[in-house]
């Protein structure tokens, strides 16, 4: 989880330095490298997610919540630096991590070429999610 959080933390710099699509492409490239290099660790994490010991599951959920909070804070800061309007960054970060989790589960059964193709679809899904969230934020009346 600590290694995954470091990728999420790099999002702050990516979002500040690049447009949304380029930032997603760069971050997902880093994520794919991590998945390919640390498959055994990810398999262990997945197994622990379903561990009968509730302490293991709580630890994983706590780390995931920290990653979600870090990502939301990075998104909030990048938006402020670019003068963009506010969005529901907590909901966005939760949805992003959900999609990334599903990708990891899928990737365990794919070869590297298939992972890259699936990653291209994930990039599109994340772009749809973020742009949709921004559109909703812009369409909501003040105080909603």
């Amino acid at each position: 989880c600590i290694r995954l959080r470091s990728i999420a933390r790099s999002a702050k710099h990516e979002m500040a330095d690049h447009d949304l699509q380029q930032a997603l492409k760069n971050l997902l490239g880093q994520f794919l490298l991590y998945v390919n290099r640390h498959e055994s660790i990810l398999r262990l994490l997945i197994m622990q997610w379903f561990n009968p010991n509730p302490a293991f599951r709580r630890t994983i959920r706590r780390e995931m919540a920290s990653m979600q909070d870090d990502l939301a804070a990075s998104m909030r800061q990048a938006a402020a630096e670019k003068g963009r309007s506010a969005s529901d960054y907590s909901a966005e970060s939760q949805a992003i991590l959900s999609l990334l989790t599903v990708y990891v589960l899928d990737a365990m059964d794919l070869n590297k070429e298939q992972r890259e193709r699936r990653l291209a679809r994930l990039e599109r899904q994340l772009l749809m999610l973020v742009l949709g969230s921004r559109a909703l934020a812009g369409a909501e009346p003040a105080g909603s």
Side-chain angles (χ1 to χ4, degrees), residues 3-4 6-11 13-14 18 23-38 119:
R3 289 179 181 150
L4 287 172
S6 71
I7 293 172
R9 283 190 180 121
S10 73
H13 302 293
E14 289 293 329
H18 300 289
L24 278 175
K25 186 175 287 302
N26 293 348
L27 288 170
L28 290 176
Q30 290 175 27
F31 186 72
L32 179 60
L33 284 173
Y34 181 84
V35 169
N36 289 336
R37 288 181 183 157
H38 303 286
L119 194 72

Side-chain angles (χ1 to χ4, degrees), residues 68 72 75-76 88-97 129 133:
Q68 178 185 327
M75 293 166 73
R76 201 172 288 112
D88 187 352
Y89 298 113
S90 180
E92 274 184 44
S93 64
Q94 183 179 26
I96 288 168
L97 288 176
L129 184 152
S133 179

Side-chain angles (χ1 to χ4, degrees), residues 52-65:
N53 183 333
F56 282 112
R57 293 191 313 269
R58 275 194 306 274
T59 300
I60 292 170
R61 284 187 182 88
R62 184 178 58 244
E63 287 298 317
M64 294 295 287

Side-chain angles (χ1 to χ4, degrees), residues 101-119:
T101 300
V102 170
Y103 173 82
V104 169
L105 291 171
D106 288 347
M108 295 299 105
D109 293 326
L110 303 174
N111 64 39
K112 288 182 181 185
E113 183 179 304
Q114 292 169 321
R115 287 176 184 180
E116 288 177 17
R117 285 196 306 268
R118 175 64 179 88
L119 194 72

